[in-house]
Amino acid sequence: MTLTRSRTLWLRTEPLHAVIYFEERCRDLGRALGLKGFWMGYFAARTAPMGPVESGPATAALGVFAPGMVARALPSAWQYVSPGRIVEERAVYTARALRALVPGIDDQAGALCQPLAAMVDDAPSLARPLFTANREVSERTDPVQRLWQLATCVREFRGDAHVAALADHGLDACEALVLAAATNRVDPDTIRHDRGWTEQEWAHAVDRLRGRGLLDGDGRITEHGRTDRELIEDATDRLSARLLRPLAARDADTLLAALERPVRHILAADVITFPNPIGLPQPTS
């Protein structure tokens, strides 16, 4: 797959966002707020900018989680903590993590926030629920909190685009994961468990993809399936590239180069595991 500016933007912002899932103290955020386990904390923190959302809309926005998994966390999480408090606490936790992982992050944050904010402010909200909700809570006086929140906006803009691309290609949530696993993008057993699908649901999705010629009789991806998966990634890149429109090509390249330094520190600290359920690839250098 061609490494476009759009995809490079994802590779240079996803690790900044992902500290909330992988850094040890961030992983304990939900429990610290009185929530029951990691996954209730995950769903509450991920959807908190949308307000006290019910499980149905949350499942639709998140895209690839089993409905029952989301329903075990939402809306019951809001009985323990308000969405507003989670938004504030996740900013505090992630900024603390970034300061520990990236030397000089406060000095870098100001320069990074300016072009990121230009992209986020200019981006359209239509059909982008998680992006729009995060943009509405992106104003932060703390520069590192703001950097994390803007990186999260970029991440959720691409996520909203990816969910739209999956739907456009006629894939349901479980089928999307099965097809991604067939390309070795994610580990099948890990992603099935982490996204809440049963073995039977997974097997039925495999059968449906076989029937459409995307997998062969042994469950391996076909040429048709591989092409379809590449088209989904290309569509995600194309839709996500809208973010870069406010920046001249030279300014976009300057931003991407500047993002490389903090990301390099995060990856060097081995905070993010590989392979991982978010599909972030192992760095090549």
Side-chain angles (χ1 to χ4, degrees):
M1 287 185 275
T2 304
L3 194 61
T4 61
R5 283 193 182 95
S6 176
R7 193 166 300 176
T8 302
L9 180 64
W10 171 62
L11 293 172
R12 303 274 170 87
T13 51
E14 183 74 3
L16 287 166
H17 167 79
V19 297
I20 195 170
Y21 310 130
F22 293 97
E23 197 271 340
E24 185 176 0
R25 284 180 292 183
C26 289
R27 286 179 62 86
D28 285 335
L29 170 61
R31 295 183 184 92
L33 295 175
L35 298 175
K36 299 178 179 179
F38 170 81
W39 284 111
M40 181 177 277
Y42 170 91
F43 289 118
R46 181 97 185 270
T47 63
M50 300 174 72
V53 65
E54 298 283 333
S55 65
T59 301
L62 295 171
V64 292
F65 287 90
M69 185 178 185
V70 183
R72 286 192 290 274
L74 302 175
S76 57
W78 315 128
Q79 299 174 17
Y80 301 97
V81 61
S82 71
R85 186 179 177 204
I86 295 180
V87 167
E88 295 305 314
E89 291 296 329
R90 71 178 196 167
V92 170
Y93 273 65
T94 52
R96 181 174 62 191
L98 288 173
R99 286 187 168 106
L101 292 166
V102 183
I105 187 68
D106 281 88
D107 295 331
Q108 300 168 54
L112 292 171
C113 284
Q114 185 174 358
L116 288 172
M119 293 192 301
V120 168
D121 291 345
D122 186 69
S125 60
L126 184 64
R128 295 171 174 90
L130 284 168
F131 162 75
T132 302
N134 275 279
R135 178 166 61 184
E136 291 179 0
V137 298
S138 64
E139 289 297 331
R140 300 274 148 189
T141 56
D142 181 299
V144 182
Q145 289 184 21
R146 179 155 171 75
L147 173 61
W148 181 83
Q149 187 61 65
L150 290 169
T152 297
C153 289
V154 170
R155 194 266 191 168
E156 297 294 20
F157 190 96
R158 185 179 181 88
D160 289 336
H162 189 59
V163 170
L166 293 173
D168 186 53
H169 281 256
L171 295 173
D172 66 24
C174 193
E175 291 167 357
L177 291 177
V178 170
L179 193 61
T183 64
N184 298 316
R185 184 176 176 86
V186 291
D187 177 73
D189 293 331
T190 300
I191 201 65
R192 181 190 66 76
H193 180 268
D194 282 352
R195 298 302 181 254
W197 300 99
T198 66
E199 292 183 4
Q200 185 179 41
E201 289 168 330
W202 191 267
H204 286 168
V206 169
D207 287 342
R208 294 193 297 274
L209 293 177
R210 282 195 188 111
R212 291 159 57 182
L214 300 176
L215 300 180
D216 66 18
D218 296 320
R220 292 189 295 263
I221 194 164
T222 64
E223 191 61 34
H224 179 198
R226 195 174 300 280
T227 298
D228 216 42
R229 193 66 183 77
E230 290 176 356
L231 288 172
I232 288 167
E233 290 302 315
D234 289 343
T236 302
D237 280 347
R238 177 177 56 80
L239 294 171
S240 301
R242 172 61 179 81
L243 282 169
L244 291 161
R245 187 179 297 180
L247 303 184
R250 181 178 61 183
D251 294 332
D253 290 339
T254 297
L255 170 63
L256 295 174
L259 284 165
E260 186 175 10
R261 181 183 176 190
V263 166
R264 187 169 63 247
H265 282 287
I266 293 168
L267 297 178
D270 291 328
V271 171
I272 300 173
T273 58
F274 296 94
N276 51 72
I278 59 176
L280 191 68
Q282 178 81 48
T284 56
S285 60

